Amino acid sequence: CVGKLGSGTQPHNDPFASDAWNTLIKGHKWWTIYPEEVHRERLLEFVKCDPSCSYEDPFLREWAAAIGVNAARTEYYPGKFAQHVLQRPGETLYVPDGRVHSVVNLDSTIAITANYGTAANLDAVWAAACEDDYEKAKIMYTLVLDAKQRKMVRQTRNWPMEVACRHRHSDAKYDKENVPRRTLVNKLYDEEWFPKTGDSVEVRYHGDTNEYYRGTVTRASHGTYDVEYPDGGTDKNLPRKAVSRFHVFMTGELVDVMDTTADQWLLAVIRQPH
């Protein structure tokens, strides 16, 4: 990124509970790093201009001259002071999640920077993603996290995802009747769940058809399964991908539905299960 003389940002915490690094190629940056208590104790108002004696949205240079320059000698929490850092070309600065910071470009600058989430604060990253956007959270869970991290996410207070985020992201305009169960795939197939004998499951008939029936696992061995159907019929040596957890859908439950007419997934609420 390229910055001009006098540009920068006032005190803030980076989004999505992310960590950040900044490598400076050219110029000089003046950073102010505040103690972590400023974020944890919600003291952000104490590092900004007082609205009672300031413009509604003061310029960065005004903030820097009035508050930023005094940050290192201001006690924001008992025994806790901000740090001033002068970043020179070739230096990399790391800012962990939760550290409120500001930066002012002292001349024309060129830098490389990135934000990223870490496994160390996965709970906070996941909560922030859920807070911001259901679709982003779903992509993060499906494509970004590994099996161990997905397990960690499922143990947080922001799970199940559809329930934790639905008060913010339940604005789907999908209204259909008699929707086939298999369009609700996100609820039916769990790659980390392995059926055991006696489990109620939903089975792809013969393992390779487009017909699905409820059944009971009668044998589970080395990744293959025998299943008995309510009518007494059976399927043997079914592969894992043909056997899904049987999920009982409830009125008001949020689901992802495949709209076959538009070939896209939509967020929807079950109005009446059959």
Side-chain angles (χ1 to χ4, degrees), residues 47-72:
V47 302
K48 295 187 176 182
C49 292
D50 187 343
S52 66
C53 59
S54 307
Y55 297 116
E56 182 176 349
D57 188 16
F59 292 113
L60 175 63
R61 64 175 179 268
E62 296 169 332
W63 171 86
I67 296 180
V69 71
N70 295 305

Side-chain angles (χ1 to χ4, degrees), residues 44-178:
L44 193 60
E45 67 270 21
F46 295 110
V47 302
K48 295 187 176 182
C49 292
D50 187 343
S52 66
C53 59
S54 307
Y55 297 116
E56 182 176 349
D57 188 16
F59 292 113
L60 175 63
R61 64 175 179 268
E62 296 169 332
W63 171 86
I67 296 180
V69 71
N70 295 305
R73 49 175 165 246
T74 302
E75 190 175 29
Y76 293 99
Y77 199 75
K80 301 290 185 179
F81 298 81
Q83 294 177 293
H84 283 156
V85 179
L86 176 61
Q87 186 184 19
R88 300 175 175 86
E91 295 179 340
T92 296
L93 188 76
Y94 164 67
V95 182
D97 168 51
R99 296 301 293 268
V100 174
H101 57 281
S102 64
V103 60
V104 178
N105 292 308
L106 301 180
D107 44 23
S108 296
T109 62
I110 299 176
I112 302 173
T113 185
N115 288 77
Y116 62 96
T118 69
N121 65 334
L122 181 57
D123 285 6
V125 173
W126 175 251
C130 181
E131 172 78 21
D132 182 74
D133 191 291
Y134 170 80
E135 293 299 328
K136 290 180 181 177
K138 184 170 64 173
I139 291 172
M140 174 180 170
Y141 181 83
T142 306
L143 301 179
V144 178
L145 303 182
D146 59 26
K148 181 179 179 180
Q149 292 166 342
R150 287 196 293 269
K151 183 177 180 180
M152 292 171 62
V153 161
R154 293 196 300 274
Q155 294 172 346
T156 69
R157 62 184 177 84
N158 290 293
W159 190 267
M161 174 171 44
E162 296 85 351
V163 175
C165 306
R166 73 177 181 176
H167 66 285
R168 307 181 190 94
H169 312 296
S170 58
D171 55 352
K173 297 181 179 179
Y174 186 81
D175 188 6
K176 297 284 185 179
E177 296 182 355
N178 299 317

